[in-house]
Each structure stands twice: as C-alpha cells, then as structure tokens.
Amino acid sequence: MTQNFDVAVLGGGAAGLSGAVALGRARRSVVVVDTGSPRNAPADNMHGFLSRDGISPLDFVEIGRAEVKRYGGLVLPATAVSAHRTDGVFEVSLDDGQSITARRLLVTTGLADELPDVPGVAERWGRDVVHCPHCHGWELRDQPVGVLATHTEWAVRQALMFRQLTPEVTFFQHTAPAMTEKQVAQLTAWGIDVVNEPVESLEVVDDRITGLRLTDETVVPCSAVIVGPQLVANSGVLVGLGLKPTTHPMGVGESIAADPTGLTEVPGVWVAGNVTDVMAQMMSSATGGAAAAAAINADLIAEDTRLTVRMLSQDYWEERYGSEKQTWSGKPNPQLVATAADLPPGTALDVGTGEGADSIWLASRGWKVTGVDMAQAALDRAAQHAADADVDVTWRQADITTWDPTPAQFDLVSMQYVHLPRQVRDALCRRLAAAVRPAGTLLIVGHHPADLTVTTLRRPRLPHLMPTAEEIATVLDPSAWDITTSAPERPATDPHGQRITLTDAVLRAVREAVDRPQ
C-alpha cells in the first residue's frame, strides 16, 4: 500500500528531523524515512549543538522524532533505496518492500566516513579516533594526540586546529603526499613534531589508545588519533533522478551540489546536511534542513495557488474532460441517492454535473432536470450518456463561479463535490439557495477534511477547498431552513486497489413552505 505525502524526508539526522518539524508546523503531510542509526552513533556524546551539548546521538534522534510526530509527521524505520518521478510525483522504494510517493523530496541521507586502512582505526572510530576538533576537541584538551595523515592539506589543518586545544600534537606523514615548505613551516611554528615513518597499527591497552606503532616497530605515545576520512555522500537514492555527486574542492570527499536553499538541479528535490555539505556540523545541518523546509513549503504554496487558479477556469475542466475517456464511474453520487430516493419527482438543478450521472439518475426517476457545468466537453459526454439511457435532460454550460440560476426555481438543487475558495463558494451557495422553491431541498456534498488524513489518496491537498457541512451552512438563515449537517463515512477503493474509508461533508436543507415576510 503506497502512502502519499506532500514531502518525503529521506534521512533522519539533524537536517532531516529539523526539516520535518518545520514542514509539520507548516501543516504539511510529511514522512521521515530513516533507520535511526546516525553517522555519529559510535560517539557517546555530541557537542556544539546549543541546548543539547553532551547528549547521546541516539537520544537526540529520539527527541527529534518525537517532535516530528508531535506535528503530525510519520517516521518509517526503513532505508530509501531508489526514487523516480512519474507524472510530477516522486515514488520512493524502501528496503522493506514498501513504497511512498511525495510531491517534493528532502534528501538528508548524510555521508559515509571511509576510514584509513589501519588496524584498530575502525574499531575505535567515534571514541578516541576522531576527525573534528569542534566535535571532540574539548574532550581531548591537554592530551597527547597524533594526526594520521592521508590527505596532506586536511591533515595540516587538523594538526593546527588541535594544537589550539593541546600542546602535544604529533603529525604522522603516513601515506599522505609530502608537505610543502609552507606547511612544514606552519607545523614548526607551533612546535608540532613530524613523524615520516608509516603507521602500522594502533596500540591499545585496557581499552585505551596508548600510541601508534610504526612500520619499524617504534611506538609513538598518544592517547587519541585524528584521522581524515574520505567523506562520501550517501546519494545512491538520487541516481534514478539523474543526480550525481561532485568532488569537494579540497578533494576530501564528494557531495550533491545545491543552491543556498538546498534545491538541486532536479526540480522538486532538495538536499540538506552532510549529503550536500561534507563539512557541516550538527547545528549547521539542522539549519540547512530548516532552510530547505521553508523553501519547499513556499514552492508547494506556489504550486497549490497555480492549481487553485486553474481549477476556477473553464480551460482546466475542458482539458480534463477532453483528454480522458471517462473521469467518473457513471454511478450517481450516494448522498444524492439517499436524499432524493424518497422525494416525489419535480424539477431539479444539478450544478457541476460533470459527465451527467446524477442528472441522468434523477431523469430516469421522473425528474425534470437541468444539468450545469463549466466544461462543454463534460456536457457533450453527459448528453451522449443521456441519449444512451434514453432520458431527457437540459444541459447548460455556465461559469458556476459567477452564474446565477434565478429567477428560475427548483424543487431540488444539488451540488456534488464542487470545491471552491470560501468567498466564491459562499456566494454560489447563496445563489443556489435562492433558487430553491418553498418546501424544496438544497443538497450540497463535498469531500470532508477528514479525507486529508487518508494517505493513500492522490487528491491535491487543498484543505481550504474542503469545508465541513457546518461551515457551508453558515450562509443559510436557520429561521428559514430546516438544516441538517452530517459527516457520513463510506467505503471506497484507493488508486492501488486497497479498501479505504472516505468521509463526506453533507448539507441537507429544506426551505420553509412559505417564505416569511422580510
């Protein structure tokens, strides 16, 4: 069963969780896909994150996940393995066999540290084998440390930065290319010793590093080792979207290029954290995630605005009905059937008739029906269906956002699943109410806001177009109408063939038999 979201956040570290919280607070449907094993999991504590200094990396993730859930986000314990785009929607396959779809992607999958191939380094990574002076330097202050060089420029920088924290720094040339005269002078200026013999292994006693053993069997004492891993973006999930990593200017790794908001060259795909900035620390990664979330939200708002404007135009509906074989099922809407089945036939107005199923059903039961729609393409189909059913219906094309049916009046006025902005909707409902004869029935049915929580639907998420029946009823004078509002549930099938439950917003109102004097 494929769930659909506004945004899928792939990766749940500081960047991903920060972005997901910001999106949740913007009332976006968001999912975080992550197994809960952050890059810094080997470390006992994380540092440099305001208000969270010294916290366990795993505890930090749990706090972040709880915040995501507080704002309605979903966390899936899985790994995203591939992604592709179809009809403007991203489909992401997960390693547990599930798939999700989203309108936008925020990829925060981090990076992999490719460590030097020296016995003992991988086993002690994140404990007393580290790489970042800002993350671990305070804890190593005044201790003897050895810088194991595999990349000359980076190793020299590390040596100089750790010298700020401890007077005992030894530079091990190991496999790195030879230093320049300038680099040698820099280390000499700070009294940093240089060892040219390659390193054979780490010396560990009682679960603590005591030194580095050289290939000539000499052991140089130190209590921590500074390494420069290759920083390789975890970007495999982006391959199917045509995104490939680029090499870092220093040559220390590779990452996905993006603009300052995290937007990649693929529209709809943002990145944040170490997948795009290999040097980013926790705080800056969180900031990047929040910045990307803000850009994504703005992008979705712009898209939703364009869609809403289009949906108010005749061209949109002409295109929709003109390009598809059959848009709806051909069956009358169930709320109309429930309301009209016991009513005596009379005159009926079906607003937003579409392909005419409601109008044809009413006509087959003896009603004199007028079906109105914005799209002539829809009315042409409806007329053909009516001819096939051997019933008479009057079809009328009109812009229902401004059209006024009065002075004509009807025994039944029905509008089914016509979703409009509030001001346009309220004005239309008032005009429709005025077209109901005394003792006549007004029936307005729409998709209830509860349907927004059904994640397997692929409808546009436009909550401002989905009022409750109670909100619709505010346009009616309760002293002149017998008003009933409800939110009945009904079984349905989602686009993947799964059974789901939908909710309708149903307003039934019967006008008084005789209008009261004004």
Side-chain angles (χ1 to χ4, degrees):
M1 183 170 64
T2 300
Q3 300 185 79
N4 310 300
F5 301 90
D6 285 331
V7 186
V9 179
L10 310 183
L17 294 172
S18 178
V21 168
L23 289 162
R25 287 177 54 82
R27 309 189 77 171
R28 293 295 176 187
S29 63
V30 59
V31 59
V32 177
V33 180
D34 188 71
T35 58
S37 300
R39 175 192 177 198
N40 59 355
D44 291 333
N45 310 98
M46 54 173 268
H47 300 283
F49 201 105
L50 189 63
S51 82
R52 289 291 182 264
D53 189 70
I55 191 173
S56 158
L58 296 180
D59 288 345
F60 177 84
V61 168
E62 286 307 308
I63 291 172
R65 287 182 164 198
E67 291 184 6
V68 170
K69 294 173 184 177
R70 183 189 311 164
Y71 293 108
L74 177 66
V75 177
L76 293 179
T79 298
V81 295
S82 65
H84 65 275
R85 192 170 195 169
T86 304
D87 297 329
V89 176
F90 296 99
E91 183 169 351
V92 182
S93 298
L94 310 183
D95 63 350
D96 62 1
Q98 294 187 74
S99 63
I100 57 174
T101 62
R103 299 166 63 192
R104 301 291 185 272
L105 295 183
L106 174 53
V107 180
T108 58
T109 44
L111 60 78
D113 295 286
E114 296 184 355
L115 299 169
D117 187 17
V118 174
V121 166
E123 292 80 1
R124 306 201 67 80
W125 173 242
R127 299 166 61 191
D128 40 17
V129 173
V130 299
H131 77 294
C132 176
H134 307 293
C135 306
H136 307 282
W138 175 263
E139 286 66 40
L140 298 179
R141 66 192 184 281
D142 297 327
Q143 299 182 36
V145 301
V147 178
L148 181 62
T150 50
H151 183 288
T152 306
E153 182 180 358
W154 191 8
V156 170
R157 290 189 182 190
Q158 289 174 310
L160 295 175
M161 287 189 286
F162 273 94
R163 180 60 182 82
Q164 169 66 22
L165 298 158
T166 175
E168 298 183 66
V169 178
T170 303
F171 185 94
F172 293 83
Q173 188 70 46
H174 191 50
T175 60
M179 289 185 285
T180 65
E181 290 183 4
K182 180 180 178 180
Q183 290 168 333
V184 171
Q186 289 173 330
L187 297 187
T188 301
W190 283 97
I192 297 173
D193 291 332
V194 176
V195 174
N196 291 309
E197 189 75 20
V199 172
E200 179 72 24
S201 63
L202 274 61
E203 287 291 298
V204 178
V205 177
D206 295 332
D207 199 31
R208 295 174 63 90
I209 291 177
T210 59
L212 288 176
R213 181 176 294 275
L214 309 181
T215 54
D216 65 3
E217 296 301 319
T218 302
V219 175
V220 180
C222 64
S223 57
V225 176
I226 315 305
V227 298
Q230 273 293 110
L231 309 173
V232 181
N234 293 322
S235 58
V237 69
L238 295 171
V239 172
L241 297 171
L243 283 171
K244 297 180 180 180
T246 57
T247 302
H248 188 274
M250 279 178 56
V252 298
E254 55 184 29
S255 59
I256 299 297
D259 76 2
T261 71
L263 178 62
T264 69
E265 63 184 24
V266 175
V269 180
W270 273 258
V271 288
N274 287 138
V275 73
T276 186
D277 181 359
V278 296
M279 294 298 185
Q281 299 176 55
M282 294 285 286
M283 185 71 83
S284 55
S285 290
T287 300
I296 290 170
N297 186 47
D299 192 49
L300 288 171
I301 289 171
E303 179 176 276
D304 291 343
T305 302
R306 291 191 297 270
L307 176 59
T308 303
V309 170
R310 286 185 60 224
M311 288 173 63
L312 296 176
S313 71
Q314 179 182 353
D315 289 345
Y316 174 83
W317 296 104
E318 294 288 3
E319 180 182 346
R320 180 164 186 177
Y321 284 109
S323 61
E324 299 178 6
K325 292 182 178 180
Q326 182 169 325
T327 301
W328 311 119
S329 67
K331 299 178 181 178
N333 286 306
Q335 305 304 337
L336 172 68
V337 173
T339 296
D342 296 328
L343 293 177
T347 57
L349 176 64
D350 179 19
V351 179
T353 187
E355 292 164 321
D358 287 357
S359 293
I360 294 169
W361 181 82
L362 288 167
S364 70
R365 298 178 65 84
W367 289 79
K368 184 178 180 181
V369 184
T370 299
V372 180
D373 202 275
M374 294 181 74
Q376 186 60 49
L379 295 174
D380 291 344
R381 290 187 185 183
Q384 183 59 55
H385 294 327
D388 293 342
D390 196 24
V391 297
D392 291 326
V393 177
T394 299
W395 306 108
R396 178 171 180 177
Q397 189 278 324
D399 181 354
I400 62 173
T401 64
T402 58
W403 171 72
D404 189 347
T406 59
Q409 290 198 312
F410 302 86
D411 298 300
L412 171 65
V413 174
S414 172
M415 183 169 69
Q416 306 274 319
Y417 306 109
V418 174
H419 294 275
L420 301 167
R422 180 178 58 81
Q423 295 89 336
V424 178
R425 179 187 71 237
D426 287 354
L428 174 59
C429 289
R430 290 189 180 96
R431 296 194 299 271
L432 296 183
V436 178
R437 281 199 179 104
T441 298
L442 174 67
L443 176 64
I444 299 177
V445 180
H447 298 298
H448 193 277
D451 285 356
L452 293 169
T453 64
V454 183
T455 59
T456 59
L457 285 177
R458 286 193 175 179
R459 295 178 189 156
R461 285 184 54 83
L462 300 173
H464 72 293
L465 303 185
M466 299 174 68
T468 64
E470 290 74 16
E471 291 172 317
I472 300 171
T474 59
V475 304
L476 300 179
D477 178 0
S479 67
W481 294 83
D482 180 8
I483 301 170
T484 302
T485 59
S486 61
E489 296 180 344
R490 56 186 172 87
T493 303
D494 70 14
H496 315 288
Q498 302 290 326
R499 299 296 292 172
I500 57 174
T501 298
L502 298 180
T503 306
D504 289 328
V506 180
L507 166 68
R508 294 187 183 92
V510 178
R511 193 170 192 168
E512 284 195 341
V514 178
D515 286 335
R516 295 182 179 182
Q518 300 295 318

